[in-house]
Each structure stands twice: as C-alpha cells, then as structure tokens.
Amino acid sequence: MIIGIDLGTTNSLCAYYGDEGARVIPNRLGKPLTPSVVSIDGQGLVLVGETAREYGLMHPDRTASVFKRFMGTDKKYMLGGRAYHAEELSAFVLRALKEDAQAYLNEEITEAVISVPAYFDDKRRKATKRAGELAGLKVERIISEPTAAAIAYGLYEKKSSTRFLVFDLGGGTFDVSILELFENILEVRAVAGDNYLGGEDFTELLVNEFLEKNNIPEDALSLRELGRLHKEAEAAKRAFSDSDEVSIAFSYNNENKELHISLKDYETLCEPLLEKIRRPVQRSLSDAHIRLSEIDEVVLVGGATRLSTVHNFIVKLFRKFPDTSINPDEAVALGTAVQAAMKERNEAVKEVILTDVCSFTLGTEVSVERADGSYEPGHFMPIIDRNTVIQTSSTQRVRTLYDNQERIRVNILQGESRFADNNLLLGSMTVNVPKNAAGEEAVDITYIYDINSLLEVEVKVVSTGDVKKQVIKGKSNDMSEAEVSRRMEELSYLKIHPRDREENRLLLLKGERMYEECTGNTRMKLDFRLRRFEEALSSHEHEQIEDARRRLKEQLEEIEKSGNK
C-alpha cells in the first residue's frame, strides 16, 4: 500500500485510502498529529513527536523543531554531538510515521506520496524527497499541499468550471493557490506564498510583547526558559478563540511576571503579519488573471487558520465565509492518501488529471547592452515564467559576446529578481562554440520542467548542432543515491524510541518537567507518584504499571487544572 504523508513544520501526519475512503492513521500514542520535533537523549536514542517536545522543554540543546523552514539549505542542527541537516531530522519524523502506519495497517510500508508547500523551490522539494529516502520510503510523488487539500475537499467531484482559492497557513509556511476545475481536470492556475510565515510567528508576537512589557532582554533567558515562555504564549494564543482577553504568567528571577492582553491589542500586533498574508493573495490573483469576485469557494488548510484573528481577517479579505467542512489539520494528509490511491489505480477513486505550476521563474544569466554600446553582466533572463502549467518546455537563444569566444557558460537560475546574484543558482553548464565574430555564434537553451519538479536543461550549439543535456537536482547539499545509502547506514545506529514504551517515557518526562515547575506540597506529592510509577515499571507487572500510570496521570491533571506550578 502507498500511504500519504503531510510533513508539516509544526505537526506531521499520515493517512491511507481504505474501504471507507481516506482516513488518518493514529500515531503510537493514539493521536492523529505527531509534532515535528526530534530529540536525541543521553543514550543516543532518537525521540520523535510529543515525547521529543516534552524532552525538549528540559533539554532544548538536544532538541530541534521548526526545521522544515530550512529544508534544502546548509543549516545544521547539533544534537548529541552530531550535526544534522533539516532533511535528516525530517527523516526521523517520516520513519516514525512509517512505523506507526505499519503497526496500524499490519503490513510493510515502502512507498509514499509526500506533500510540500506549493511555494517550495527546487532545492526544498529535492530535500523532501531525500528525507523520504533516508526514512526507507520510495517517494512515488511530491504533491503540493494546496492541491492535496483540494482533492481532500472533493473539489474534483464538484460541478465543472469552478474556481477555488486554497488558503494554507501552517505552523511555519504560507501558501495561497488558485485552482480551476474543468471536467476531470484540476488545474493549478497560480501559487504564491511565504516559506517563513506561519502560526509560529503569531506565537512569537506574544513572546516578544511579554518580554518588552516586563523589560526582560531575550538574551537574559536560558533556552529552557525561552521554551517554557513559548509554551505559555502558544496556550494564550489559542485561548483567544474563547476569550477577548488572555494572560501569560511566567517566573523570572524568582519573581512572577504577567502579561494581560486584549484581542483588540493582539490584532494590532498582528497587522504586519496579516499584511504579509495579503500580498501573496493579491499576487496569485494577478498571476491567474482572476478577480476576487470570480472565486467560487475559499478553502482553509493548516492549523493556524483556526486562530480567530486569522479567520476574521480571511472573512473580511474575501468577503465570504470559507469552507471548513474538513479539519484543516488533516486536509492535506487525506488528500495525499487519495493521490496515493490514484497512483495505485484504486477503482474506488475517480481518476482526475492534476496539473501543477512552476512556483518560481526559471532562467539564466546574461549580459545586457548599455546605452553606450558596452555590455553589463549579471542580469537575469527568464526562460519559464512562474505559474506556467507543468509539464512545460521553453527555449531562448543567446549569442556570443566578444570576438573569437570559445565557450558559453549557462548558469541555471530560479527566482524573480532582475539580477542573477539575487536568484537561486541551481547549477551550470559550459559548451564549446566555434571561434567567430561577436554575435555570430549562438546556443539555444531549452528548459523542460516536469510534474515532480525535475528540471532538464538542454543547450544546443546552433552552428554545429552539438547538444549537451543535464538534469538539475539542486547544487547545494545534494546527495547521490550512493551518498543517500551511506547516510542511511550512518543514521541507522540511532534507534528511534520503541513504540510500546512511548507512553511511559512521555509520562515520566512530563512528570519531571512539572516537578521542576511546582513547589511545596504539590512537588512532594508528585515526587511520590513518580517514584511509584518508576517502581511499577521496574516490576514489569502489567496491572501494577497500569494502576501507577493512572494515578500519576490523575496527579498531573490535577496540577494542571489548579495551576499550582
């Protein structure tokens, strides 16, 4: 079976297509969402998800989160004395999801469809595919998150000639996509977005406001203190859904510090972020040549769309209530499961033709003529414009710049700037040309971009007919198949925490963290329950463990309810 995976910035989840349609697969703790957090403990054991998040509150130096924002970059995370790229940390999350799927479905899982933000560039998409390979998965297809969400909402089963705007605001990335349905063809008309904008930024506003109002410099807090403050701010942000005023309480230098903030004041703080959301919406409409009034339906995706501030902004912006019939946290995963069923030719799934677009402009570097007849290097010449439907190909001709020129170098670029240096260098090719007068020799540069975002570049010397081809896989941090295999072996010594002991480890970590936060009688009572639970685990007696676990859970819930920390 091919499963579908939504690899998210804040949370990840997987789904499958069965007799009852697309269904989310619960993780080892019985929950649909697995936090995209990875820790490596003192014994070199990999913790993933909620357990890693809890461990990270006490050991932030051995924990990483929000790493999806840096997929495909050279940024490294030091955990347990070793360096990891974002795709390697993502591989741990994917491996945990794969194990959960195998346990739930009772069969081996080797293939998956994985979603990525529509605005992910070539390097980020390749890094996501590598993460799947490092997790032991054959990635059947990389699908854009808004397209997956559109499938989940059943947009392909609605009436023909319908236009949809998918508004996808997750924990760390924002995408807006405009799709049009015609018969059994679901076509992406335009995408825009921001890879560094999401729900985490709305939480960070409250963290910064708390620090500013209490005159606390950010660098005065330890990583553990910052983690605790972030946790409190996240809870306060969510509380705005039920209240017009929230509070954040935090102990700093043995003094209790507080922030009381109204929804109105918080919305004022959010205005710069909301403006960052507005711009991609406007650009996508412009690129698709569609007016806002021509959008038939607005679909919400991503957990951050639950925020009342964001939801109210969306209603005002689009002048209509969006479709929220599917849990926005689960929509993408469900869509990837349907896409996986299509790949398997599942007869229960209506076949639909999906078209995607090139998210960024692809081009090359050229020199342009100045008014005085001289040439200025470093300019960008587009070959495939952004939001061109793929699969596509396009050709541009360039000529030699000076007499007796013997070579032409083709820099392969991705981006929107007029200047080559401001765009992403994907690779380069050099071809030999016959010596001749300036401008007499030329090459035709053809870019071919396919549905999985693989770019093939062909350079043909016009006078000789010589052709040179190259498939671009991304220059920075790229790995060959052999290198992927080697890295898989290197990472295999790190064992993910066993599924059957996950709940116990999580409960102990939560108890230890809350013990540090409590004082007085509460701390003494909690210490007693923690010791009893540890003794029960050592006994290996099932009934004794279950009883001790239940009592410890009740104690923790009582502490959380009373707020005695």
Side-chain angles (χ1 to χ4, degrees):
M1 174 179 286
I2 305 175
I3 61 170
I5 297 178
D6 175 10
L7 181 63
T9 306
T10 306
N11 293 295
S12 297
L13 63 163
C14 59
Y16 76 106
Y17 197 92
D19 295 337
E20 298 179 351
R23 292 289 183 270
V24 170
I25 297 172
N27 64 18
R28 57 201 67 191
L29 298 172
K31 299 180 180 181
L33 302 180
T34 296
S36 300
V37 184
V38 173
S39 298
I40 297 180
D41 71 8
Q43 286 71 50
L45 202 63
V46 179
L47 308 176
V48 175
E50 193 172 343
T51 310
R53 185 170 62 188
E54 191 66 51
Y55 183 85
L57 292 173
M58 295 186 292
H59 305 280
D61 57 318
R62 303 182 72 92
T63 304
S65 61
V66 199
F67 37 80
K68 178 179 172 179
R69 283 185 166 179
F70 299 98
M71 290 286 273
T73 72
D74 286 328
K75 181 177 173 64
K76 293 181 179 178
Y77 297 81
M78 291 299 299
L79 302 179
R82 291 177 68 98
Y84 300 91
H85 286 107
E87 55 262 44
E88 293 171 335
L89 296 174
S90 297
F92 290 134
V93 176
L94 290 170
R95 184 158 34 132
L97 293 174
K98 172 189 169 184
E99 289 178 0
D100 290 340
Q102 288 179 157
Y104 185 80
L105 299 171
N106 197 29
E107 64 176 272
E108 185 179 6
I109 302 297
T110 59
E111 300 172 279
V113 172
I114 302 178
S115 64
V116 295
Y119 214 55
F120 256 26
D121 61 23
D122 185 78
K123 284 201 303 186
R124 288 179 167 88
R125 289 172 185 255
K126 299 301 182 302
T128 303
K129 189 171 184 291
R130 281 198 301 274
E133 292 166 352
L134 288 169
L137 290 166
K138 179 184 178 184
V139 182
E140 286 292 335
R141 179 165 178 183
I142 296 290
I143 184 173
S144 293
E145 289 169 5
T147 306
I151 295 171
Y153 274 89
L155 300 186
Y156 67 96
E157 292 181 346
K158 294 182 181 287
K159 63 182 181 181
S160 188
S161 301
T162 307
R163 288 171 177 157
F164 309 92
L165 187 144
V166 179
F167 186 100
D168 184 355
L169 185 64
T173 59
F174 171 57
D175 283 326
V176 56
S177 296
I178 295 173
L179 302 95
E180 186 165 9
L181 177 68
F182 181 74
E183 295 180 351
N184 69 326
I185 299 174
L186 185 62
E187 178 182 342
V188 179
R189 292 286 303 275
V191 299
D194 190 329
N195 289 324
Y196 300 95
L197 174 63
E200 294 287 336
D201 299 287
F202 287 84
T203 303
E204 204 62 31
L205 287 176
L206 288 172
V207 171
N208 294 336
E209 184 72 1
F210 178 91
L211 294 174
E212 184 179 333
K213 294 297 183 184
N214 286 285
N215 297 312
I216 302 174
E218 184 177 348
D219 57 9
L221 298 181
S222 67
L223 287 175
R224 286 178 69 172
E225 289 173 321
L226 276 174
R228 289 211 324 269
L229 179 57
H230 187 277
K231 184 173 179 285
E232 295 294 332
E234 178 69 25
K237 180 185 74 174
R238 294 174 184 271
F240 274 125
S241 298
D242 303 311
S243 176
D244 289 336
E245 183 170 306
V246 301
S247 299
I248 298 175
F250 185 75
S251 177
Y252 173 68
N253 283 346
N254 295 319
E255 288 185 37
N256 291 325
K257 302 287 186 180
E258 290 188 338
L259 172 70
H260 301 282
I261 182 169
S262 67
L263 178 59
K264 183 178 180 182
D265 288 341
Y266 179 60
E267 287 177 340
T268 301
L269 289 177
C270 291
E271 284 177 0
L273 292 181
L274 297 175
E275 185 57 35
K276 288 180 74 174
I277 287 174
R278 187 191 304 272
R279 288 196 291 268
V281 171
Q282 293 171 336
R283 191 170 84 175
S284 65
L285 290 166
S286 174
D287 285 356
H289 306 292
I290 292 174
R291 293 191 296 271
L292 191 58
S293 60
E294 295 175 317
I295 297 295
D296 298 303
E297 194 164 346
V298 176
V299 171
L300 298 189
V301 181
T305 59
R306 296 176 183 275
L307 299 176
S308 57
T309 302
V310 173
H311 192 275
N312 294 339
F313 172 77
I314 292 169
V315 173
K316 291 176 184 176
L317 179 63
F318 296 110
R319 296 189 288 276
K320 65 177 64 180
F321 287 97
D323 187 336
T324 55
S325 59
I326 292 183
N327 184 334
D329 286 317
E330 299 178 355
V332 171
L334 294 172
T336 59
V338 177
Q339 175 63 27
M342 290 181 191
K343 293 287 290 184
E344 291 179 311
R345 302 291 182 185
N346 190 315
E347 293 181 359
V349 181
K350 175 185 173 184
E351 188 66 30
V352 60
I353 299 170
L354 303 176
T355 74
D356 210 337
V357 294
C358 181
S359 304
F360 294 84
T361 299
L362 295 162
T364 191
E365 182 177 353
V366 294
S367 297
V368 297
E369 190 173 5
R370 297 189 180 100
D372 62 4
S374 62
Y375 285 88
E376 180 177 277
H379 284 257
F380 180 60
M381 181 183 73
I383 295 178
I384 296 177
D385 284 323
R386 71 168 187 265
N387 288 321
T388 298
V389 175
I390 52 179
Q391 182 164 327
T392 187
S393 67
S394 182
T395 303
Q396 291 282 359
R397 179 170 292 187
V398 298
R399 296 183 176 277
T400 51
L401 194 60
Y402 50 87
D403 292 343
N404 297 319
Q405 184 173 334
E406 297 181 77
R407 297 179 186 84
I408 292 179
R409 180 183 176 89
V410 177
N411 284 336
I412 302 150
L413 303 168
Q414 184 178 54
E416 309 303 330
S417 175
R418 292 190 304 122
F419 301 104
D421 283 349
N422 295 337
N423 294 320
L424 176 66
L425 178 65
L426 299 179
S428 62
M429 298 170 63
T430 301
V431 294
N432 296 323
V433 294
K435 291 183 179 181
N436 212 329
E440 291 300 313
E441 292 296 328
V443 295
D444 285 338
I445 305 169
T446 300
Y447 283 7
I448 303 167
Y449 204 61
D450 77 3
I451 196 67
N452 281 316
S453 303
L454 280 172
L455 174 62
E456 181 178 329
V457 178
E458 178 185 286
V459 181
K460 180 180 180 180
V461 181
V462 176
S463 63
T464 65
D466 291 343
V467 174
K468 192 172 184 179
K469 294 183 179 181
Q470 182 177 338
V471 175
I472 301 301
K473 295 182 179 179
K475 180 182 178 184
S476 175
N477 196 24
D478 189 48
M479 299 168 74
S480 67
E481 289 184 15
E483 288 169 329
V484 169
S485 297
R486 266 201 310 274
R487 191 55 173 160
M488 284 175 71
E489 289 179 15
E490 290 172 8
L491 296 180
S492 66
Y493 86 95
L494 291 163
K495 304 298 182 184
I496 288 184
H497 192 277
R499 299 184 75 258
D500 55 355
R501 300 204 301 270
E502 183 90 5
E503 185 179 4
N504 296 337
R505 180 70 186 267
L506 175 60
L507 198 59
L508 281 172
L509 286 170
K510 189 173 183 180
E512 289 168 11
R513 188 255 302 170
M514 292 181 72
Y515 174 86
E516 292 187 7
E517 296 174 0
C518 293
T519 57
N521 258 353
T522 305
R523 175 178 268 194
M524 291 175 63
K525 289 178 182 177
L526 182 53
D527 177 57
F528 174 78
R529 284 293 163 216
L530 282 168
R531 283 189 285 108
R532 288 293 178 269
F533 185 45
E534 287 169 335
E535 289 168 8
L537 290 173
S538 299
S539 74
H540 301 289
E541 293 290 336
H542 178 72
E543 288 185 9
Q544 190 177 338
I545 291 172
E546 287 300 310
D547 181 62
R549 180 193 290 128
R550 178 182 58 80
R551 291 174 184 271
L552 177 56
K553 274 185 174 179
E554 289 172 354
Q555 181 77 46
L556 294 175
E557 288 168 2
E558 184 181 325
I559 294 172
E560 285 184 321
K561 191 174 181 180
S562 66
N564 185 7
K565 298 179 182 178

